[in-house]
Amino acid sequence: MCNAQGAEGVFALRHQHVEAEMVWLETLSNAVTSLRAYRLRTALVLLSIAIGVFAIVLAGTANEALDRSVMRVLEMMGENTFSISRRPAIIIDGEEWRRMMKRPPIDYRQAAAFKREMSQYVPWVGAWGEHYGERIRAGNRSTDPDVSVSFVDPECFALLQWRIAVGRVLTSEDAALVRPVAVLGADVAEELFGSDSSALGQEVRIQGYPFRVVGVLQPQGKVLGQSLDNFVVLPLPWWLRFKGQWSSLELLVQVPVDREPLEVMDEAIAILRRLRGLKPWEPNNFELVTRESAQAQFASFSRYIGFFGVAAGGIALLAAGVGVMNIMLVAVRERTREIGIRKAVGARRRWILQQFLLEALAVTLIGGLIGVLLGFAAGAGLGSLIGLPLSVPWQWVMLSVALCAAVGVGFGSYPAWKAATLNPVDALRYE
């Protein structure tokens, strides 16, 4: 007797399981059929959802690209190295930009005095400046007017981790005698002379000044699509010829392994405050930048990109949600008699609710899948453009899928509830 009852219980459970599977399969089939019946409206909703998800995934890809590029640039700065400059590397607010530009520059005199005094505490300290948009000429060949010229102390080759491919670095004698010598980036050497070795000993002209090539740097690649090898290095004193006394330089300091970084930074700040004539109560009119502070600053900037992408995608998804609700309400109205017939033959309320919710979810998730694929394609194109193998931003993909599901459930709930609560008698009479 007990065995018979147990067998009946197992049979009942299996029957319920099979019945549930059949209901879900039937619901899914009905949902797909319904979406096909309203192709134009479904396509418009899919497009809105795809645009929203595309914006979110692309923002995530751009965030990742920016973070990896920044880390690559920061890794070029030697370990335990910090810099001091007139203003921060990134300024978003216009008012802050105007305030920073009122700061007096770190001029050549201050840089020389800072290096002299700071050398008592650390073995590696240097100054460098940069001048953009130059055309480099060699014989009858010339570069585009987009080459940057770096004016550096000899120590900067070690501080910035520049490696020589052929030739030599600039020396203290080059700076003391203001020799007209230059070290070329790999791209400039390739464009003007075809190879590193053939560039040695050749003459290049910058703003009419002749310089003899004494070295070529090893290639460093690209960051955000910009070459890191499209520049020329000259001795620091040539800065005064090209930029003038009132242009601002940047100071680089490497902390010895046996010293506390904060102590060395305090010493550097004290020296530069005195050289710039700051009173004890006056704030610093310069910026000290470490790897960590630069990374945090860039992370703050990249968050703006993320917020913008999520906001733009969210607006598109909200608009798509309104479309989902509209198409589902139309579907409920046009299928009122069908709903009445299904209820009359025994369809449960939750089955109808599931069907219409599943239809709404199907629309949003299919649109989300299209948006994700478009985002992957755009990310691959962005990666090839900036020279970085970008990986899939899975956390942003999961966020997009979650938002799509929320839109489907949120905007599909009311039409689904309306369909599930229809009176079967009224529904059968509906024309």
Side-chain angles (χ1 to χ4, degrees):
M1 185 71 174
C2 293
N3 290 338
Q5 290 178 348
E8 288 178 1
V10 172
F11 177 78
L13 288 175
R14 288 180 179 178
H15 179 72
Q16 292 175 4
H17 180 67
V18 171
E19 181 183 12
E21 286 185 353
M22 292 178 65
V23 168
W24 274 104
L25 289 174
E26 182 182 357
T27 302
L28 181 60
S29 176
N30 290 335
V32 173
T33 303
S34 175
L35 294 179
R36 287 177 179 173
Y38 307 101
R39 288 187 178 89
L40 180 59
R41 282 174 290 186
T42 302
L44 293 175
V45 173
L46 287 176
L47 180 62
S48 298
I49 295 172
I51 291 173
V53 172
F54 170 77
I56 295 174
V57 174
L58 188 60
T61 304
N63 251 334
E64 182 179 327
L66 184 61
D67 290 342
R68 293 180 63 179
S69 299
V70 168
M71 287 305 300
R72 185 174 176 183
V73 171
L74 293 178
E75 286 171 1
M76 294 171 58
M77 185 183 292
E79 265 189 57
N80 300 324
T81 299
F82 64 88
S83 66
I84 303 175
S85 57
R86 176 186 185 182
R87 57 180 177 81
I90 292 181
I91 302 177
I92 300 175
D93 183 71
E95 183 61 33
E96 185 183 5
W97 169 267
R98 287 186 287 273
R99 183 170 58 86
M100 293 296 173
M101 293 310 292
K102 292 179 181 179
R103 289 178 170 181
I106 301 175
D107 58 30
Y108 189 87
R109 178 190 59 81
Q110 289 176 3
F114 177 85
K115 181 181 177 182
R116 185 171 55 253
E117 295 191 30
M118 197 67 195
S119 296
Q120 303 173 21
Y121 304 101
V122 295
W124 295 99
V125 55
W128 79 310
E130 206 155 19
H131 177 56
Y132 299 95
E134 282 296 337
R135 186 187 297 274
I136 315 299
R137 292 181 169 83
N140 60 355
R141 305 184 70 175
S142 66
T143 66
D144 293 331
D146 60 354
V147 179
S148 63
V149 181
S150 296
F151 307 86
V152 305
D153 281 327
E155 293 82 1
C156 289
F157 283 86
L159 291 168
L160 296 172
Q161 296 190 358
W162 288 343
R163 303 286 184 259
I164 289 290
V166 293
R168 66 174 178 83
V169 301
L170 301 179
T171 65
S172 300
E173 289 185 356
D174 294 332
L177 300 175
V178 198
R179 287 173 177 164
V181 293
V183 174
L184 305 183
D187 284 356
V188 177
E190 178 71 22
E191 188 171 356
L192 293 178
F193 303 106
S195 66
D196 297 344
S197 57
S198 61
L200 288 181
Q202 300 291 332
E203 181 183 279
V204 297
R205 286 187 170 270
I206 309 173
Q207 290 190 5
Y209 293 104
F211 294 89
R212 181 171 59 86
V213 178
V214 297
V216 177
L217 295 172
Q218 292 180 1
Q220 302 177 81
K222 292 183 178 181
V223 167
L224 293 177
Q226 298 296 315
S227 172
L228 297 176
D229 302 303
N230 193 37
F231 70 108
V232 175
V233 187
L234 302 181
L236 183 62
W238 283 93
W239 170 263
L240 299 175
R241 302 271 184 97
F242 283 80
K243 297 292 288 185
Q245 178 66 23
W246 295 105
S247 298
S248 189
L249 294 166
E250 185 171 343
L251 307 171
L252 294 171
V253 179
Q254 187 176 69
V255 181
V257 293
D258 59 343
R259 295 287 307 275
E260 283 292 330
L262 291 179
E263 291 180 5
V264 177
M265 292 177 192
D266 288 341
E267 291 165 352
I269 291 172
I271 292 173
L272 194 56
R273 284 181 60 88
R274 180 168 50 79
L275 292 174
R276 291 169 73 82
L278 292 175
K279 303 294 190 297
W281 58 86
E282 292 179 323
N284 294 338
N285 56 6
F286 53 87
E287 296 291 325
L288 190 147
V289 180
T290 63
R291 276 191 184 185
E292 291 75 17
S293 64
Q295 186 177 357
Q297 193 175 18
F298 276 102
S300 176
F301 174 70
S302 67
R303 278 196 293 271
Y304 280 96
I305 299 177
F307 291 151
F308 175 79
V310 172
I315 292 172
L317 288 176
L318 284 176
V322 175
V324 169
M325 180 179 289
N326 178 63
I327 194 175
M328 296 308 298
L329 286 173
V330 171
V332 171
R333 186 175 68 250
E334 294 183 354
R335 294 158 60 189
T336 300
R337 287 181 59 83
E338 174 196 328
I339 296 170
I341 294 172
R342 293 186 64 195
K343 284 197 165 189
V345 297
R348 298 179 182 178
R349 177 180 294 185
R350 63 183 178 88
W351 294 352
I352 297 174
L353 183 71
Q354 287 172 358
Q355 177 183 343
F356 281 89
L357 274 180
L358 191 59
E359 289 179 20
L361 273 175
V363 172
T364 54
L365 292 179
I366 291 172
L369 177 61
I370 296 172
V372 168
L373 294 176
L374 290 175
F376 286 172
L382 179 64
S384 62
L385 181 65
I386 66 177
L388 280 178
L390 298 181
S391 59
V392 177
W394 288 112
Q395 65 274 23
W396 292 83
V397 172
M398 297 305 295
L399 173 63
S400 302
V401 172
L403 288 176
C404 286
V407 167
V409 173
F411 286 89
S413 294
Y414 173 69
W417 173 83
K418 187 175 181 181
T421 55
L422 281 174
N423 185 293
V425 176
D426 294 337
L428 288 170
R429 291 175 178 174
Y430 182 83
E431 294 294 337

